[in-house]
Amino acid sequence: MCGICCVLLRGEVKDNWDSSCSRLKNRGPDASSRAEVAIDPQTYIAFIGHVLHMRGDLTPQPTGDSHGNYLLWNGEIFGGLQVEENENDTALLLKNLSFKSDVEHILGSLSKIHGPWAFVYWQEETKTLWFGRDFFGRRSLCWYLPKTSTDPFILTSVRQNIEELVEVPSIGIYSMTLTQTDILDITVYSWFEAVWPGTMTSVTTGNLCQGLTGDSDCSVKFNLHPNLHLTRCIPSLNKCLPDLDPCKIQTEKPESVIDDLLHDAEFNSCVDKLTHLLLKSVTLRVFNQVMWNQTKNDHNNDLTGTSNSEVKTAQDNSRTDQSHPQPCRDSSEEASDARETVIQGNSKVAILFSGGVDSAVITALVDKCLPVHESVDLINVAFERNLPQKQSAAEKWLVPDRQTGLMALQELNPARTWNFVMVNVGIAELQNLRSSHIRHLVYPLETVLDDSIGCAVWFAARGEGVLGNGEDAGKTYKSSAKVILCGMGADEQFAGYSRHRGKFEELGWQGLIDEVEMEVQRISARNLGRDDRVITDHGKEARFPFLDEDVVSYLQSLPVHIKADLRYPRGLGEKILLRACAVKLGLSKSALFPKRAIQFGSRIAKTENSKEKASEKCSRLADPT
């Protein structure tokens, strides 16, 4: 995991790119480094990396080799290339990429990788700069395209100053050979059958420049390679139309519908297969972090997870009385009480936990793969509600996600320590931190929806709140987990959005199939880059089990009616396959909670302006004029 920046400087030399912004350093608190490559007397490239140490030996970035190659790698290799338990994937990938210099080798190496990535690679032999993001855009990479022959060309994980950035489209990988620097010439090697995110329009030579630059002026020439492509990491969507009448089916007992489906051998087999793939995905994302290797070596596999008395007390006491919330305070109230000791958690894994079926299934699978002595932090965020004075202080935090989270908590394994962390955000704190900091992380996205989700996820990832269960309930708690598991990607694949139901009601099964196909295609342009920027700002890493390549490939292969049967009402029909998985995992109540987006479940949406629409440009994210 790395905060990366690469700057091609032409003309006047500037030396402050690696020190001008704490937002880049926040992403990688464990090691910082810089390297420079001179192209000619007036031109050089600066590579800056700030590393969050997650796997193997600590490897500062950019990492280089004896041939003059450099790699900035913001990613995780979960499959495709063999990474040994104590091996660092950055060093492994550099060795792999530098083994040969031909284009086919670079494309083949990156096509194999399973896992999230954004990278910048300098190939010294050919004087070529390579860069790009994975198919789903799970890691942030933005660019500034120069407008003149002396402007810098910038690649960065996050906005640093006030430069005008755009997210690098995840349509493939890019190469720029720097044999001349007055005109920058970038070649695009697209994914096979690539389409522009948010559309089903194929990427072609004719629409390449418009798709990459829009209406902005820039001094970069783009070319689409006609023959060489990255191999798609997932198959095309199964578009078979079911022989089922799309008329609505009413039911007063949704649990009996799932029970009946589980008695169908074919459907039950799909449930078991999906559960198996999700368990594998969760296991990879839980254990691929350096803390596990240290624990194994230091404690001979006795993963007790207790490092100090305060934390141990919190863990022991959290096993009991898991459902009763205590009077809650917002973060500013907690900080003002200097007499109170903050309980420093030592869980290695945290989960964004609303209690909905996505997060509940991830949590139940973590329980299956994790040693029972290990605690898990369940992060549940709520924004302040304006209530009549006669209501209690605790009620202002009792938002829908808090209620479902507490109910879902009751269905989890009682033998494990679940730290239910209630993150309570007051309006004043929200406005202050958004204005001073969070808006720069959400950038270059700028809608009301980006504001709501970006702020909610940022506060959740910070992990500072009040314990909501156990004998320590009501005490201030801070999560130290470096890995945060998130449910992003489930709604797109299981038809969880209301627009899926709208298309189904309007156009039947074909409308639903088309909408699911487009949703999967546009994941990279929707939110994952934003979520990566806001979560890693805390020196933590977001991991997305539902976007594991094997999970997505399997779901792509299934007929749509197996994944979602929207003839049934809300809370049952959408995500019906995942709900069946939840039932078999013992989550009978969580399985039937209706879909509720984080901005509504946490009540951040419409907190400050009840009349604005999600797609509108958000004035609160704008730079001061």
Side-chain angles (χ1 to χ4, degrees):
M1 186 73 198
C2 184
I4 64 181
C5 180
C6 171
V7 187
L8 172 66
L9 292 165
R10 300 175 289 177
E12 182 182 355
V13 175
K14 301 176 182 178
D15 295 319
N16 66 340
W17 289 100
D18 62 336
S19 60
S20 60
C21 178
S22 63
R23 288 186 293 276
L24 193 64
K25 293 181 179 179
N26 288 349
R27 296 174 60 88
D30 298 322
S32 299
S33 188
R34 172 180 174 138
E36 296 178 4
V37 173
I39 307 301
D40 59 43
Q42 294 297 315
T43 308
Y44 76 92
I45 306 177
F47 300 93
I48 301 105
H50 300 281
V51 175
L52 174 64
H53 185 205
M54 298 300 295
R55 303 172 68 178
D57 294 331
L58 177 59
T59 303
Q61 295 193 42
T63 183
D65 63 19
S66 59
H67 303 293
N69 303 309
Y70 287 101
L71 176 64
L72 289 167
W73 174 248
N74 178 23
E76 298 288 352
I77 299 177
F78 292 132
L81 296 177
Q82 183 63 40
V83 183
E84 300 301 328
E85 182 175 310
N86 295 310
E87 191 172 16
N88 182 276
D89 57 355
T90 306
L92 172 73
L93 182 60
L94 175 62
K95 183 178 180 180
N96 184 283
L97 291 175
S98 61
F99 182 70
K100 292 182 180 179
S101 60
D102 59 277
V103 172
E104 291 86 348
H105 174 69
I106 301 295
L107 299 182
S109 297
L110 291 164
S111 293
K112 291 178 183 176
I113 295 173
H114 284 198
W117 51 266
F119 82 105
V120 178
Y121 172 57
W122 172 252
Q123 193 176 52
E124 173 65 20
E125 180 180 343
T126 61
K127 305 296 182 185
T128 300
L129 186 72
W130 294 86
F131 59 94
R133 304 165 69 198
D134 73 79
F135 182 83
F136 297 116
R138 288 166 288 188
R139 292 290 179 260
S140 175
L141 187 66
C142 303
W143 62 14
Y144 171 80
L145 298 176
K147 294 178 173 60
T148 70
S149 61
T150 58
D151 275 355
F153 171 76
I154 304 172
L155 295 166
T156 181
S157 299
V158 66
R159 188 185 200 184
Q160 298 188 64
N161 294 304
I162 57 171
E163 63 273 10
E164 297 177 2
L165 298 176
V166 176
E167 290 186 332
V168 176
S170 295
I171 60 171
I173 63 171
Y174 305 75
S175 75
M176 179 168 58
T177 300
L178 294 171
T179 52
Q180 60 178 18
T181 59
D182 53 337
I183 298 178
L184 300 183
D185 199 328
I186 295 179
T187 299
V188 180
Y189 300 92
S190 66
W191 296 99
F192 182 68
E193 297 182 342
V195 298
W196 290 106
T199 75
M200 295 307 296
T201 304
S202 298
V203 176
T204 66
T205 298
N207 61 28
L208 184 69
C209 187
Q210 176 67 24
L212 293 176
T213 65
D215 297 325
S216 63
D217 295 327
C218 72
S219 62
V220 178
K221 180 182 178 182
F222 288 98
N223 305 285
L224 180 66
H225 199 285
N227 300 318
L228 297 178
H229 304 278
L230 290 155
T231 303
R232 279 176 60 100
C233 59
I234 61 170
S236 298
L237 181 69
N238 184 330
K239 297 182 181 180
C240 291
L241 286 169
D243 186 20
L244 297 170
D245 190 320
C247 293
K248 292 182 179 180
I249 300 175
Q250 298 297 330
T251 177
E252 295 182 358
K253 294 184 177 181
E255 62 277 6
S256 65
V257 173
I258 292 181
D259 288 341
D260 290 343
L261 286 170
L262 289 173
H263 282 91
D264 178 272
E266 181 181 1
F267 185 86
N268 188 60
S269 175
C270 293
V271 171
D272 290 343
K273 177 68 172 178
L274 177 59
T275 303
H276 169 76
L277 290 172
L278 281 172
L279 177 59
K280 178 183 174 184
S281 171
V282 167
T283 302
L284 283 170
R285 284 154 180 80
V286 165
F287 285 100
N288 274 292
Q289 51 174 315
V290 70
M291 295 177 71
W292 286 113
N293 294 332
Q294 292 173 346
T295 303
K296 291 175 183 176
N297 293 335
D298 295 344
H299 301 286
N300 192 29
N301 291 318
D302 181 21
L303 305 179
T304 59
T306 53
S307 61
N308 60 61
S309 58
E310 276 292 324
V311 173
K312 186 175 189 300
T313 300
Q315 291 179 350
D316 288 348
N317 292 338
S318 294
R319 290 195 179 95
T320 60
D321 193 26
Q322 303 205 69
S323 63
H324 303 294
Q326 301 297 311
C328 304
R329 299 151 294 165
D330 65 24
S331 300
S332 59
E333 289 172 327
E334 295 154 17
S336 66
D337 188 356
R339 296 170 297 176
E340 182 177 12
T341 300
V342 176
I343 298 175
Q344 295 290 335
N346 70 338
S347 303
K348 298 179 179 67
V349 178
I351 302 167
L352 296 190
F353 189 75
S354 67
V357 65
D358 308 345
S359 62
V361 166
I362 289 174
T363 304
L365 294 173
V366 167
D367 184 57
K368 283 187 172 294
C369 71
L370 200 62
V372 72
H373 295 104
E374 285 288 338
S375 65
V376 176
D377 292 342
L378 304 178
I379 312 296
N380 184 281
V381 64
F383 288 82
E384 185 176 8
R385 301 162 64 207
N386 290 318
L387 298 174
Q389 291 185 346
K390 63 181 180 180
Q391 292 184 284
S392 69
E395 288 183 283
K396 69 179 179 179
W397 308 115
L398 206 56
V399 300
D401 277 1
R402 182 63 46 80
Q403 297 176 58
T404 55
L406 288 166
M407 286 189 282
L409 182 64
Q410 291 302 294
E411 297 192 297
L412 301 178
N413 178 7
R416 182 179 302 282
T417 299
W418 304 103
N419 297 315
F420 189 81
V421 185
M422 302 187 298
V423 176
N424 302 318
V425 185
I427 294 176
E429 184 182 24
L430 166 64
Q431 293 173 338
N432 176 48
L433 284 170
R434 177 206 285 124
S435 176
S436 64
H437 188 66
I438 301 172
R439 65 185 181 88
H440 297 291
L441 303 170
V442 175
Y443 181 89
L445 303 187
E446 57 184 6
T447 69
V448 170
L449 182 67
D450 293 314
D451 171 48
S452 295
I453 299 178
C455 289
V457 173
W458 188 87
F459 281 104
R462 188 174 65 171
E464 296 179 5
V466 179
L467 279 175
N469 60 323
E471 293 180 10
D472 283 325
K475 292 186 178 180
T476 305
Y477 181 91
K478 181 173 177 57
S479 173
S480 62
K482 277 189 173 184
V483 167
I484 300 181
L485 299 181
C486 309
M488 288 74 165
D491 289 310
E492 288 82 356
Q493 299 180 82
F494 293 102
Y497 294 121
S498 59
R499 56 182 172 269
H500 287 114
R501 189 170 291 276
K503 287 292 184 181
F504 179 75
E505 292 175 352
E506 178 186 1
L507 300 170
W509 292 107
Q510 187 62 59
L512 178 59
I513 289 170
D514 293 343
E515 188 69 15
V516 168
E517 182 180 33
M518 189 176 72
E519 290 285 358
V520 173
Q521 291 285 0
R522 72 177 180 179
I523 285 177
S524 67
R526 291 276 294 168
N527 51 26
L528 297 178
R530 176 201 64 212
D531 296 340
D532 174 61
R533 290 189 293 276
V534 299
I535 290 175
T536 54
D537 185 60
H538 300 289
K540 301 176 181 182
E541 182 174 278
R543 295 181 176 178
F544 309 105
F546 288 110
L547 290 174
D548 176 88
E549 283 79 358
D550 289 340
V551 171
V552 178
S553 294
Y554 178 63
L555 291 174
Q556 288 283 97
S557 74
L558 293 176
V560 69
H561 70 282
I562 298 292
K563 298 176 286 188
D565 191 342
L566 301 190
R567 298 176 300 168
Y568 291 106
R570 184 171 176 265
L572 175 60
E574 75 279 10
K575 307 182 186 180
I576 198 165
L577 180 62
L578 188 62
R579 295 182 190 281
C581 292
V583 168
K584 293 194 75 170
L585 288 167
L587 306 169
S588 58
K589 293 180 181 178
S590 304
L592 297 174
F593 289 151
K595 156 70 182 176
R596 186 184 292 112
I598 188 173
Q599 65 270 28
F600 301 117
S602 67
R603 283 295 188 257
I604 186 175
K606 304 185 185 299
T607 295
E608 297 159 283
N609 185 345
S610 61
K611 296 181 180 180
E612 60 190 2
K613 296 180 180 179
S615 59
E616 293 177 350
K617 189 172 181 177
C618 182
S619 61
R620 297 181 295 276
L621 296 176
D623 291 325
T625 56

